Amino acid sequence: MDITVFSAFLPHTDPDASIAFYQDLLGFEIRKDVGYNGLRWLTVGPAEDAAATSIVLYPPGADPGVTDEERATIAEMMAKGTFAMAAFGTNDLDATFEALAAGGADIVQEPTDQPYGIRDAAVRDPAGNLLRINQL
């Protein structure tokens, strides 16, 4: 069997702020920018590896199967930064962290050697998604 992770989904609240964060701060390319019914879905990923897993940034209220009560809960959790997270990897965590901090990213944790064997840092994207960045 040959199977891989093709994409993962994170919600966004402001597509232009997400583009600025993922493209300008993380250096990702915008692979797709799709509008439908006044909402936008963005697909981003590492610029130097078009075959790498993509992150689809989606409007969280767009799913017709989600009730208004569930939308309110999702919005509340996103505002607290507790709804979604992703983990990325880099060969130079300290330089990546410094660039994110200098760019105004919402810092959650400075680079830290974790007791479970990895070195990582954490920031939040403009929608409040927690992004952990691991040293590779």
Side-chain angles (χ1 to χ4, degrees), residues 39-134:
L39 301 173
R40 286 170 68 189
W41 284 255
L42 305 167
T43 303
V44 301
E48 64 278 354
D49 186 1
T53 302
S54 295
I55 303 292
V56 179
L57 304 167
Y58 69 98
D63 185 339
V66 176
T67 67
D68 289 341
E69 183 178 52
E70 290 167 333
R71 281 187 187 88
T73 299
I74 291 168
E76 185 176 310
M77 291 179 72
M78 287 177 67
K80 292 180 182 176
T82 58
F83 183 70
M85 70 172 291
F88 300 134
T90 180
N91 289 320
D92 191 343
L93 176 62
D94 293 313
T96 300
F97 179 80
E98 287 176 23
L100 288 168
D106 180 7
I107 303 300
V108 176
Q109 174 206 301
E110 294 187 5
T112 302
D113 292 318
Q114 301 292 353
Y116 40 87
I118 63 170
R119 179 172 171 77
D120 71 353
V123 299
R124 293 198 191 284
D125 77 2
N129 299 307
L130 180 65
L131 306 179
R132 298 205 72 85
I133 304 169
N134 297 336

Side-chain angles (χ1 to χ4, degrees), residues 1-6:
M1 180 182 301
D2 181 18
I3 191 164
T4 187
V5 177
F6 183 71

